[in-house]
Amino acid sequence: MHLARPSPRVLSHRTVNQIRTYAAPGEGAIPASKKKYVPTSGTYPLGFRAGSAHVGVKASNTRFDDLALIASQSPCSGAAVFTTNKFQAAPVTVTRHMLKRRSGKGIRAVVVNSGCANAVTGKGGIEDAITMGKSTDQCFIKDDNGEDDGEGSRTIVMSTGVIGQRLPIQKITDKIPTAYYNLSNTHDHWLSAARAICTTDTFPKLLSRSFTLPSSTETYHLVGMTKGAGMIHPNMATLLGILCTDAPIAPKQLRTLLASAVTKSFNSISIDGDTSTNDTVALLANGAAGGKPIDDKYSTDYGAMREVLTEFAIDLAKLVVRDGEGATKFVTIRVTGAASYDDAKRVASTIARSPLVKTALYGKDANWGRILCATGYAEGVSSVIPEQTSVSFVPTDGSEELKLLVKGEPEAVDEERAAKILESEDLEILVRLSEKEGEEAVYWTCDFSHEYVTINGDYRT
């Protein structure tokens, strides 16, 4: 007897009495539960503009913009961190070489296409990435009075989508001028660009913020957009991030600031434990707001900028986890009392990647043994001593933590309270490796649902 296959939409509502309240397959409409994460206004950095255009990189996309362009009105400093996956996508290779050749100076734009990752595409893929950069450069010739500094392309190139397929490069280059002519500094333009880089994301991820620095009376601004919902376990140094600021930061300091911020933000999230071929987070700084350049990593301005940038990057990275494919929970994993930060982070990362932990969270099952198991097999960790380890659930409503294990001894768990805590969308898992002050690391992850399999089972087709 032949049984018709239910549609993914039907499947997503048949999951053992689980009611989806957190994420939904991306079909253009933003789920009601996600609208609160989409800004209705913003404060954007001076001298930066955003634009987008519809290419139709994927034939099935007939109406959504899938090409984004972010540009500085003057040449600026640029830096980026990239995936450590050995199969690095062509845009990663091309952009890394471009930034190295220019020493992070004279950057004008970031161009991004969604719908195709241009990854594992051989020499042809490299040529396509170079062509995207050159086509974008051409748009700025008039702005630069035809001047060429002789250092080659000024454009950071990014792609996201299906691996192993060539870009429809002619279609893309035909629409790059459209994205350029659409450049503007309005909130709607920034939001449209953030939407254009989405793949299975259910909402555009955009943040902006104002800040000050100790040595200046100027007000500075940060904007950031990111995309990612699956294949998320960055190890950077299909997640992309673009951050821009009008603060004056020298290229060398820009690289170290970004690397530091990424460690505690984009490198501290996981959805499914997969590190993409395309992961790239870029930071541009044009100094358009004025003030003294940040060119000394020992200065008070550098320290303040690092704090602002790290906090901002953390908030941006959290949006990726909140949009995890099929996710119903946003989970903070906090590990304390470790002998080193690396130990704490390895334990947190291992728990975040555990399919058994993630499925238990989806099933609202207080199966703390799975958390303990993951803690125990974290590789390269010397801080885990069973007799000193404690595990708790920390509710987000401010009520007392629910202790599950205390110094290696199991507690009599109030299952009714545990189930109530696990009903919430937000949850914190606290693992104390000892009662000593020690080092602490925080990781953010989500649960695994039936829908994650549904989304990824037919992603390419």
Side-chain angles (χ1 to χ4, degrees), residues 38-93:
V38 181
T40 56
S41 63
T43 303
Y44 298 103
L46 303 177
F48 281 103
R49 299 172 295 164
S52 61
H54 173 257
V55 175
V57 173
K58 292 182 74 171
S60 58
N61 176 18
T62 59
R63 58 196 180 106
F64 297 116
D65 284 2
D66 51 0
L67 181 70
L69 182 62
I70 310 300
S72 174
Q73 291 179 301
S74 60
C76 66
S77 301
V81 289
F82 305 97
T83 180
T84 57
N85 192 309
K86 289 183 173 60
F87 287 96
Q88 300 195 347
V92 170
T93 299

Side-chain angles (χ1 to χ4, degrees), residues 50-276:
S52 61
H54 173 257
V55 175
V57 173
K58 292 182 74 171
S60 58
N61 176 18
T62 59
R63 58 196 180 106
F64 297 116
D65 284 2
D66 51 0
L67 181 70
L69 182 62
I70 310 300
S72 174
Q73 291 179 301
S74 60
C76 66
S77 301
V81 289
F82 305 97
T83 180
T84 57
N85 192 309
K86 289 183 173 60
F87 287 96
Q88 300 195 347
V92 170
T93 299
V94 169
T95 295
R96 178 187 284 112
H97 289 167
M98 184 276 291
L99 289 172
K100 184 177 180 180
R101 182 180 66 249
R102 286 190 156 274
S103 299
K105 302 173 184 177
I107 309 304
R108 286 303 304 267
V110 181
V111 64
V112 192
N113 77 271
S114 61
C116 178
N118 191 12
V120 198
T121 45
K123 294 180 180 179
I126 295 291
E127 292 171 359
D128 290 343
I130 291 172
T131 298
M132 278 182 67
K134 286 183 176 179
S135 296
T136 305
D137 295 331
Q138 290 297 312
C139 295
F140 296 95
I141 289 179
K142 186 176 180 180
D143 293 351
D144 294 335
N145 298 317
E147 294 181 4
D148 183 352
D149 64 1
E151 297 294 330
S153 180
R154 299 170 179 262
T155 300
I156 291 172
V157 180
M158 300 182 186
S159 297
T160 181
V162 177
I163 294 171
Q165 296 182 2
R166 289 285 298 275
L167 291 173
I169 190 62
Q170 190 60 53
K171 290 174 66 176
I172 291 174
T173 55
D174 285 347
K175 288 300 181 73
I176 286 176
T178 302
Y180 171 78
Y181 288 117
N182 286 339
L183 287 173
S184 177
N185 61 357
T186 72
H187 171 71
D188 286 344
H189 283 79
W190 281 102
L191 192 61
S192 293
R195 174 65 183 83
I197 67 175
C198 291
T199 50
T200 58
D201 307 61
T202 67
F203 68 95
K205 299 162 186 65
L206 177 71
L207 290 178
S208 62
R209 191 163 297 169
S210 299
F211 64 96
T212 58
L213 294 173
S215 73
S216 176
T217 58
E218 307 290 345
T219 296
Y220 297 106
H221 312 86
L222 257 173
V223 64
M225 65 178 69
T226 186
K227 66 80 50 186
M231 197 178 280
I232 303 295
H233 186 74
N235 187 16
M236 300 173 183
T238 308
L239 179 151
L240 302 180
I242 305 161
L243 292 77
C244 304
T245 182
D246 51 17
I249 309 174
K252 184 177 179 180
Q253 277 60 46
L254 198 70
R255 288 193 296 274
T256 57
L257 283 167
L258 179 61
S260 177
V262 163
T263 296
K264 293 189 175 181
S265 58
F266 290 102
N267 273 357
S268 293
I269 62 174
S270 184
I271 288 174
D272 47 23
D274 274 320
T275 297
S276 170

Side-chain angles (χ1 to χ4, degrees), residues 5 8 58 60 115 162-163 165 454-461:
R5 179 189 178 192
K58 292 182 74 171
S60 58
V162 177
I163 294 171
Q165 296 182 2
T454 299
I455 291 170
N456 285 284
D458 58 7
Y459 174 69
R460 189 176 67 89
T461 54

